[in-house]
Amino acid sequence: MKYTNFIFSNSFRLFSILLMGIMLSAGENLYAQATDIVTYAAPEGAKLNDTYSVMVRQNNGDWQLVPSYNVMVDEVAGTNHNVRNCSMAYFDFAGTVDVKVIYNKGTVDKAQVRPLSYDIKHSVNGNEITFQLDCSRNLSIEVNGDIFNNLQLFANPIDTYRPTSKDLKRLKKDSNYIYFAPGYHKIDRLTVGTNQTVYVSGGAIVDGEIVVDHADNAKVLGRGMIYPYRKKGLIVSHSSNVKIDGIFTTQTTVSDSHDVSLNNVKVMSYYGWGDGFNVFSSTNVAYTHVFARTSDDCSSIYASRGEHHGGCRNIMMEDAVLWADVAHPFTVGLHGDAKRPDTIEDLFYKNVDVLDMKEKQIDYQGVFAIIAGDNNTVRNVTFENIRIENFREGKLFDIRVANNKKYCAAPGLAIENINFNNISYNGDRAELSLIIGYNESRKVKGVHFKNLVINGEVIYDKMPGKPGWYKTSDMASIFIGEHVEDVTFEK
């Protein structure tokens, strides 16, 4: 299918210039907007979920309805994956906004608005939950303890990339500007090239994949959904100087690329191996204000694998909310090229809330899973200001040079200089954490904990209540095995 620079609703229908003019003249009516609130009507063909009704207002004005979409998540029960329906809603705002969430399936006996660290005060009246927001937040609203049929609510900042009617009149002549208007667009794959911009409007659903491939200076922007009812949604491959902003999708992958930024991107997956934010063989990749609820790893950083070649450097994630229905919130280092050793280095994670994790397989547990395989070296990794809520199953730390024969052709070479600063966990389900090297030539060297807080207690060498014959790691339920050097705990 040949793509034109403007794509409107109803699956690839190409409108005449006359009809385009009509659409552009009515441009501001495509959105419902109060002074500092923008809501988007659901397009015809969208799958909605009636469990919750969401409304927003400002300054005690009229309530505006926000559509609740049906999205899917993965619940592992026993040994089976079960796809569960979940609700998702989004709007944009500036200033302060009142939010009302109505639970349409009964009475609200109890409710949570998470992450808990945001300390969002809310009130419950019958089947209504109300609260205020004064900044952009990615939230989970849970009624009566149900974490699957919950509401994922994305309160976005105002979209500064949204084109005006005047902009659209000009941009219709630009072959490098691809515009998805509000509506339902079923596609197979759209390939984005050099100097091209794709804008997915709020109220648009692109049912398919968007791929930035062998491109420089490319952008995928907007407030809409790239939500395929199949694997993957947004891919960046062999590209540079790429900006992704504001999109909701199932999965993003960055491979063989450099200088890529992803801001205010939300991902939710439900299928096997549905990682959230993958990075392969890439440099200078930045994630800011992102959300991931995934059916596999939320954030994964690997070296060579398949068609991807080389290590990873300078990867940053800041201001994130992660929820791993399966596998890890963070995982680093497992995959590489055993014949041509790679290095994964200079990774920085800051200000992250981990809402949940569930993983029974011992080899794949760990909120923080740094497992070097395939002759990889992993070094210079910092986690700072990470808050972990009470997850369902798993361990906190899994730091190993290992040979996972299911996925690796060799053990890793080394793990060096791993820093955990201001890490807090509140819960009672963490299993035994591991720090283990492989042999005398394949060690873990330098794992440093500063202000590790478990259920309100700081873990450090001279902490109160620690018997003198205990290792400090015993107080954090961390097993430090052989071929490990220089593990420290400081206040």
Side-chain angles (χ1 to χ4, degrees):
M1 173 65 69
K2 181 179 179 181
Y3 290 85
T4 61
N5 60 316
F6 277 71
I7 302 175
F8 288 92
S9 56
N10 296 328
S11 304
F12 296 118
R13 181 177 297 173
L14 305 183
F15 285 79
S16 67
I17 294 176
L18 176 61
L19 181 55
M20 184 177 293
I22 294 171
M23 292 287 288
L24 294 177
S25 67
E28 295 307 318
N29 295 324
L30 299 175
Y31 310 89
Q33 183 172 9
T35 305
D36 288 310
I37 299 177
V38 183
T39 62
Y40 305 95
E44 184 178 352
K47 296 183 180 180
L48 302 178
N49 192 316
D50 65 357
T51 301
Y52 300 92
S53 298
V54 180
M55 292 185 286
V56 293
R57 71 176 182 183
Q58 285 183 315
N59 302 319
N60 293 316
D62 294 335
W63 288 103
Q64 298 184 55
L65 183 65
V66 180
S68 292
Y69 293 89
N70 191 83
V71 295
M72 294 177 288
V73 295
D74 184 16
E75 180 186 13
V76 176
T79 59
N80 297 317
H81 290 269
N82 299 276
V83 176
R84 297 284 302 273
N85 291 320
C86 177
S87 297
M88 185 278 287
Y90 66 94
F91 65 95
D92 304 348
F93 80 106
T96 300
V97 64
D98 298 321
V99 180
K100 180 190 293 186
V101 176
I102 302 172
Y103 180 59
N104 296 316
K105 302 299 182 180
T107 300
V108 178
D109 297 319
K110 62 178 181 178
Q112 282 194 314
V113 181
R114 299 200 294 154
L116 297 177
S117 71
Y118 295 169
D119 194 25
I120 295 174
K121 306 300 183 185
H122 60 278
S123 62
V124 176
N125 183 14
N127 67 339
E128 296 183 358
I129 307 160
T130 55
F131 53 91
Q132 276 194 340
L133 298 174
D134 60 8
C135 63
S136 175
R137 295 296 196 190
N138 296 320
L139 303 174
S140 173
I141 290 87
E142 297 153 18
V143 170
N144 301 335
D146 191 342
I147 63 171
F148 291 102
N149 194 16
N150 65 316
L151 170 67
Q152 303 291 171
L153 181 62
F154 303 125
N156 297 301
I158 297 294
D159 182 8
T160 58
Y161 297 107
R162 173 186 161 192
T164 65
S165 298
K166 184 177 180 181
D167 294 331
L168 290 176
K169 290 178 182 179
R170 171 178 54 83
L171 290 168
K172 72 179 182 179
K173 302 175 183 178
D174 185 352
S175 61
N176 283 327
Y177 192 88
I178 301 168
Y179 178 76
F180 287 94
Y184 193 96
H185 311 269
K186 187 170 181 58
I187 69 171
D188 180 24
R189 170 177 286 200
L190 170 63
T191 300
V192 184
T194 293
N195 294 325
Q196 287 194 314
T197 295
V198 175
Y199 186 84
V200 183
S201 300
I205 297 176
V206 178
D207 184 357
E209 295 179 2
I210 294 180
V211 181
V212 180
D213 185 51
H214 288 86
D216 180 66
N217 189 34
K219 300 178 179 68
V220 181
L221 313 171
R223 286 293 183 268
M225 302 165 62
I226 306 169
Y227 195 75
Y229 291 91
R230 50 190 171 142
K231 295 182 179 180
K232 297 187 179 180
L234 182 57
I235 299 168
V236 178
S237 179
H238 298 92
S239 295
S240 59
N241 302 306
V242 177
K243 179 188 288 290
I244 313 294
D245 192 289
I247 297 297
F248 174 88
T249 187
T250 51
Q251 185 173 0
T252 70
T253 300
V254 178
S255 60
D256 294 288
S257 297
H258 65 86
D259 298 292
V260 179
S261 68
L262 298 94
N263 177 65
N264 193 28
V265 175
K266 288 80 64 175
V267 296
M268 294 183 68
S269 62
Y270 56 90
Y271 44 81
W273 296 282
D275 289 355
F277 299 113
N278 299 90
V279 182
F280 296 94
S281 308
S282 294
T283 302
N284 299 338
V285 182
Y287 299 88
T288 55
H289 192 54
V290 295
F291 174 92
R293 181 174 182 179
T294 56
S295 52
D296 212 301
D297 304 312
C298 293
S299 170
S300 56
I301 300 177
Y302 301 130
S304 299
R305 183 166 170 79
E307 63 185 33
H308 313 301
H309 302 288
C312 283
R313 290 172 176 82
N314 298 330
I315 314 297
M316 183 273 289
M317 176 177 285
E318 184 172 8
D319 186 19
V321 178
L322 306 180
W323 179 331
D325 281 315
V326 183
H328 317 92
F330 308 97
T331 186
V332 176
L334 184 64
H335 302 300
D337 185 344
K339 296 180 180 179
R340 296 183 297 178
D342 293 318
T343 298
I344 300 172
E345 62 185 345
D346 301 329
L347 316 181
F348 186 59
Y349 304 84
K350 181 179 181 180
N351 193 31
V352 180
D353 287 274
V354 175
L355 300 192
D356 200 3
M357 171 183 67
K358 187 179 191 300
E359 180 55 73
K360 194 172 189 67
Q361 299 175 93
I362 301 300
D363 279 344
Y364 309 104
Q365 291 182 332
V367 172
F368 307 95
I370 302 175
I371 303 173
D374 279 339
N375 284 320
N376 286 334
T377 294
V378 179
R379 64 189 179 202
N380 303 335
V381 182
T382 297
F383 297 90
E384 184 171 296
N385 297 337
I386 314 294
R387 299 163 295 274
I388 306 156
E389 299 187 18
N390 198 16
F391 48 77
R392 281 171 285 159
E393 186 171 12
K395 57 173 67 79
L396 285 174
F397 305 100
D398 193 356
I399 304 170
R400 290 182 287 131
V401 178
N403 187 8
N404 185 324
K405 294 182 179 180
K406 184 175 181 179
Y407 294 112
C408 300
L413 284 180
I415 297 175
E416 300 172 345
N417 192 30
I418 311 300
N419 299 283
F420 296 97
N421 303 327
N422 300 323
I423 310 298
S424 65
Y425 168 63
N426 289 294
D428 57 3
R429 302 190 188 114
E431 300 178 18
L432 181 68
S433 292
L434 304 174
I435 304 177
I436 305 173
Y438 189 77
N439 59 28
E440 281 300 307
S441 62
R442 299 171 183 263
K443 292 184 175 182
V444 176
K445 296 181 181 180
V447 179
H448 306 295
F449 297 92
K450 187 172 184 179
N451 289 332
L452 171 62
V453 181
I454 298 179
N455 292 320
E457 185 173 41
V458 183
I459 309 299
Y460 63 105
D461 288 339
K462 295 184 179 181
M463 62 185 290
K466 182 180 81 66
W469 63 92
Y470 276 30
K471 298 177 183 177
T472 307
S473 58
D474 294 336
M475 305 301 291
S477 192
I478 300 174
F479 173 73
I480 301 177
E482 295 181 334
H483 315 302
V484 176
E485 298 177 2
D486 189 24
V487 179
T488 63
F489 295 85
E490 299 179 29
K491 184 175 180 180

